[in-house]
Amino acid sequence: MSNIVIVESKNDVIFMQGMVEEINCNIQVEPAIYIDDYESLEGLSETKLITTLKALEADLQKRDIEKIGIIIDIDNCSEPERLEWVNKCIQQVFESETLSSTKQFIDICGDNGTNAKLACYFTNFGGRGELETVLKAIKARASPYADCLDSWKTCIESQGKEINQKHFDKFWVSIYLRYDTCSNQELKQAGRKCSMSGFDYVMEHKKDIWDWDNPDLDDLKEFFKLFC
């Protein structure tokens, strides 16, 4: 039986796979936590999620899918708002119960009569944000370069300008990767080895720049345990 997790982007795939591997190393579970495949939305929209779910609905029997997970950013929405949005998409495709919370399965049924289980999780830190928000919260190295952005942000605001928190978090992570965690040798290929565009390299060679034991990851770990 296969398990599928739907995520928003390539970098979400890379991070979530890293999390699954980390859990397998640190928790004794039989069978091991394993996600067979990831479906990337490449950006979040109702149309994209519905299209992806329809493709999975058509594949339920052929691919013998047992469990489906949906991981999307909470951004600045509340959990009830995000749940309402996901439920709306699900009910365009499946006969199903309604998701009333994250990290709990509901039964879904496709037109061909095949059944599966589905659960969702919203990427967040402190009830808001996205992947970069989480990465900023779980950094494991000293971050003097990135932390000095706080003074820059204060200066910008003193000039009557603003930078929203989402863009600030992205900027913080980019500086952390490039200047706080990149070796002199890696800086020669900074775009490929010291940036979010090279996140696959970062996660393959420098996973220790993130604190995988950070309690802020506990909810995400609980979500993946559903697939044991």
Side-chain angles (χ1 to χ4, degrees):
M1 300 290 281
S2 297
N3 296 324
I4 305 295
V5 171
I6 300 168
V7 297
E8 286 192 44
S9 71
K10 174 186 173 183
N11 282 344
D12 288 303
V13 172
I14 294 167
F15 179 77
M16 297 307 170
Q17 185 59 46
M19 170 60 75
V20 168
E21 293 168 359
E22 199 69 23
I23 291 174
N24 284 338
C25 291
N26 296 329
I27 298 176
Q28 298 300 314
V29 178
E30 291 295 336
I33 299 169
Y34 181 70
I35 306 302
D36 299 279
D37 201 2
Y38 293 85
E39 301 283 345
S40 175
L41 296 175
E42 291 303 334
L44 183 63
S45 76
E46 187 174 308
T47 300
K48 287 181 179 178
L49 180 54
I50 290 171
T51 299
T52 301
L53 290 173
K54 283 182 176 178
L56 286 178
E57 192 271 339
D59 280 353
L60 272 178
Q61 191 168 21
K62 181 169 57 179
R63 297 176 67 180
D64 202 17
I65 298 168
E66 180 182 15
K67 297 174 181 178
I68 299 170
I70 299 174
I71 301 178
I72 60 174
D73 299 336
I74 199 165
D75 291 322
N76 291 318
C77 297
S78 66
E79 184 171 303
E81 288 171 336
R82 266 293 185 247
L83 284 168
E84 181 180 1
W85 187 87
V86 172
N87 279 320
K88 182 179 178 182
C89 295
I90 293 169
Q91 289 165 3
Q92 292 288 317
V93 182
F94 296 105
E95 292 182 15
S96 72
E97 309 164 69
T98 300
L99 288 166
S100 58
S101 65
T102 61
K103 300 179 296 179
Q104 291 187 358
F105 280 120
I106 59 171
D107 293 317
I108 58 174
C109 182
D111 287 341
N112 56 12
T114 52
N115 299 297
K117 294 185 177 295
L118 183 146
C120 71
Y121 176 81
F122 304 136
T123 303
N124 76 96
F125 169 69
R128 65 163 189 85
E130 56 183 351
L131 176 60
E132 281 86 353
T133 317
V134 173
L135 293 177
K136 182 173 181 286
I138 66 168
K139 64 96 177 180
R141 299 267 185 93
S143 51
Y145 285 95
D147 288 342
C148 280
L149 290 175
D150 289 328
S151 297
W152 171 82
K153 185 172 183 287
T154 299
C155 178
I156 289 291
E157 291 168 347
S158 73
Q159 303 297 314
K161 306 294 183 180
E162 292 184 8
I163 179 168
N164 68 38
Q165 193 62 44
K166 178 176 181 175
H167 292 160
F168 180 78
D169 289 345
K170 286 181 179 291
F171 192 21
W172 191 99
V173 171
S174 71
I175 297 300
Y176 178 66
L177 291 178
R178 189 177 183 96
Y179 296 105
D180 289 313
T181 65
C182 204
S183 69
N184 290 334
Q185 187 65 31
E186 288 171 332
L187 280 171
K188 295 177 182 178
Q189 301 179 65
R192 189 170 72 83
K193 298 182 176 181
C194 308
S195 70
M196 288 301 287
S197 62
F199 196 49
D200 50 350
Y201 174 90
V202 171
M203 289 294 289
E204 181 180 354
H205 297 279
K206 299 186 288 187
K207 280 183 70 177
D208 62 340
I209 68 172
W210 315 115
D211 176 12
W212 296 95
D213 295 320
N214 192 301
D216 291 309
L217 294 177
D218 288 350
D219 275 355
L220 180 56
K221 291 176 181 177
E222 287 181 22
F223 175 77
F224 278 119
K225 289 177 188 176
L226 296 176
F227 293 86
C228 295

